[in-house]
Amino acid sequence: MMTGICDKVAIVGMGCSRFGERWDCDAEDLMLEAFREASADAGVEAGDLDAAWFGCYFDDASVGKSALPLANALRLKNIPVTRVENMCATGTEALRGAVYAVAAGACDIALALGVEKLKDTGYGGLPVGTPGTFTEQWRPNTSSPGSFAQLASAYSAEHRVKGEDLKRAMAHVSWKSHLNGAINPKAHLRRAVDLDTIIGAPMVAEPLGLFDCCGVSDGAACAIVTRPEIARELGKTEIVTVKALQLAVSNGSEAGHEGWNGSYIHCGRLAGQRALEEAGVRSAPDEIDLMEVHDCFSITELVTMEDLGFAEEGQGWRAVLDGAFDRDGATPCQIDGGLKCFGHPIGASGLRMAYEVYLQLLGRAGDRQLPSPTLGLTHNLGGEPARCVVSVAVFGRND
């Protein structure tokens, strides 16, 4: 019988590089920038690590294949290092590997690190990937903005939301994130943007305008995890534990038959339900104090509020406009600025989300600090609505 991982693993240190156009460094520099912060936070050196998980999506475009780039950058002592890739959920997948290894007793102290160096490629969006022949048979000529524009259209049609109302709600999502990101020194984009500018921005894929889409960026983030008893031996008195870490992956059914209407993320709902159950959360709106979700596009965040149970189905757009997920709302979302302000260096994004929740739970978020949060959630989505992987994690403070 499965017993889950709730409170079996503690995060003792986290680090995050400054995200942005990092012409000043390469991927190895970004890894070191994130690791040095985590190492100092944890009181753990590279030589203390028993194993590591390395997340990177565009390996050919940034660091090369295998786990060697992480081992080389940190001069790890020939420990097991595993490179993982699970589309845009790669960062959380690296964390899942490290957390599960510690929970299983396979190692005492493990590292999860994600990095991506995308700006060097010269692309305004994501570089052209190498999906292989099979993937192209499923989605020829499909773009990320186009796929999520279809999510917006299906949501509007299914719930009979007027186009102008959905546009205002999506604009509110982006307005809120830019407002939050403006005070985050590690964010790529640090400027508040008014609603009229967002609504009037050039169209990318109807109804998604420029400010409905996140950009690409360079960045790295990491976590050092161990068992709670070892965390106490390291002198930690305020301990953040992993309450849940769940993953749901499409099996082709969404794209293969008419049972899915395209107005929600099927795997988002499954991963959310499993994570909340594993964490013992009965009511997400009442118990979760903050969340970081995958806002690759503003419609993604809006729909995710329903998929995770923070808004009733078909009412997420109203909850957004009512300010339910603003900084002073019922459940603040993207308090660090989200993908909208950090951009999306794919391998790092999931761990960047966890980093913000970790800081908030320990009261270290500076000007962004929320009053006494005890339970936070991250949601990391890879792929597109019809074909995706979704990770949902819950973290809690255990003093």
Side-chain angles (χ1 to χ4, degrees):
M1 179 179 178
M2 293 190 296
T3 58
I5 60 165
C6 186
D7 290 332
K8 293 180 179 177
V9 179
I11 302 176
V12 289
M14 291 203 74
C16 181
S17 75
R18 180 173 60 81
F19 281 34
E21 296 179 340
R22 297 296 303 270
W23 312 119
D24 59 314
C25 62
D26 56 22
E28 286 73 18
D29 294 322
L30 292 172
M31 287 189 265
L32 283 169
E33 187 175 325
F35 179 73
R36 283 169 179 154
E37 180 183 353
S39 174
D41 181 21
V44 169
E45 302 292 338
D48 299 321
L49 300 172
D50 298 314
W53 275 259
F54 176 47
C56 182
Y57 179 73
F58 282 109
D59 52 357
D60 287 338
S62 57
V63 298
K65 294 188 180 299
S66 86
L68 286 170
L70 176 61
N72 289 342
L74 304 188
R75 293 291 188 267
L76 298 175
K77 293 188 174 180
N78 306 114
I79 60 173
V81 186
T82 304
R83 190 182 80 83
V84 298
E85 180 278 308
N86 221 346
M87 294 197 281
C88 296
T90 292
T92 306
E93 189 67 3
L95 180 61
R96 195 167 73 98
V99 166
Y100 275 34
V102 170
C107 58
D108 287 336
I109 302 176
L111 170 72
L113 188 147
V115 68
E116 212 82 41
K117 191 78 169 65
L118 293 178
K119 300 305 292 187
D120 294 352
T121 64
Y123 283 91
L126 292 175
V128 175
T130 53
T133 304
F134 178 76
T135 300
E136 290 301 273
Q137 290 175 348
W138 278 81
R139 53 191 293 272
N141 304 317
T142 299
S143 68
S144 295
S147 297
F148 284 88
Q150 289 181 325
L151 174 67
S153 299
Y155 180 87
S156 181
E158 174 66 18
H159 302 297
R160 300 186 178 183
V161 181
K162 294 179 180 177
E164 57 267 33
D165 290 335
L166 185 60
K167 187 68 177 174
R168 284 194 304 118
M170 292 192 300
H172 190 102
V173 168
S174 299
W175 168 82
K176 170 262 299 170
S177 292
H178 277 283
L179 197 63
N180 292 340
I183 59 171
N184 192 330
K186 292 189 175 182
H188 183 162
L189 303 175
R190 299 188 59 198
R191 189 179 69 176
V193 183
D194 63 74
L195 285 168
D196 288 341
T197 299
I198 295 171
I199 291 173
M203 196 63 67
V204 175
E206 172 75 31
L208 304 180
L210 179 64
F211 288 96
D212 293 310
C213 312
C214 80
V216 298
S217 191
D218 302 330
C222 68
I224 297 172
V225 299
T226 186
R227 293 192 299 278
E229 55 269 30
I230 296 177
R232 294 187 186 91
E233 291 172 5
L234 291 170
K236 305 297 180 184
T237 54
E238 296 178 333
I239 297 176
V240 171
T241 59
V242 181
K243 299 283 186 181
L245 213 173
Q246 289 287 336
L247 177 71
V249 181
S250 292
N251 59 12
S253 62
E254 296 103 307
H257 60 74
E258 296 180 350
W260 175 66
N261 62 24
S263 68
Y264 62 96
I265 310 293
H266 178 60
C267 286
R269 293 186 176 184
L270 293 177
Q273 291 166 5
R274 293 170 186 167
L276 293 173
E277 181 179 349
E278 182 173 36
V281 174
R282 295 182 178 180
S283 171
D286 294 330
E287 298 178 54
I288 299 293
D289 297 311
L290 78 153
M291 55 184 156
E292 293 282 325
V293 306
H294 199 92
D295 57 327
C296 50
F297 300 94
S298 53
I299 187 62
T300 319
E301 178 178 326
L302 188 155
V303 169
T304 297
M305 297 302 98
E306 298 182 15
D307 290 343
L308 297 180
F310 290 94
E312 293 182 12
E313 187 172 349
Q315 299 300 311
W317 68 279
R318 293 185 189 276
V320 166
L321 287 173
D322 288 342
F325 312 111
D326 293 354
R327 177 181 176 80
D328 57 355
T331 312
C333 183
Q334 325 294 51
I335 201 67
D336 67 347
L339 270 70
K340 277 296 293 134
C341 295
F342 271 82
H344 187 19
I346 298 175
S349 290
L351 282 156
R352 187 270 304 160
M353 298 175 186
Y355 175 76
E356 178 66 14
V357 171
Y358 174 78
L359 293 181
Q360 290 283 348
L361 293 177
L362 293 175
R364 300 181 189 170
D367 294 340
R368 307 185 308 281
Q369 184 61 49
L370 298 171
S372 305
T374 59
L375 210 57
L377 177 148
T378 65
H379 160 279
N380 196 190
L381 184 155
E384 58 199 49
R387 190 166 177 270
C388 61
V389 299
V390 183
S391 287
V392 176
V394 179
F395 306 95
R397 191 180 68 200
N398 294 269
D399 297 341

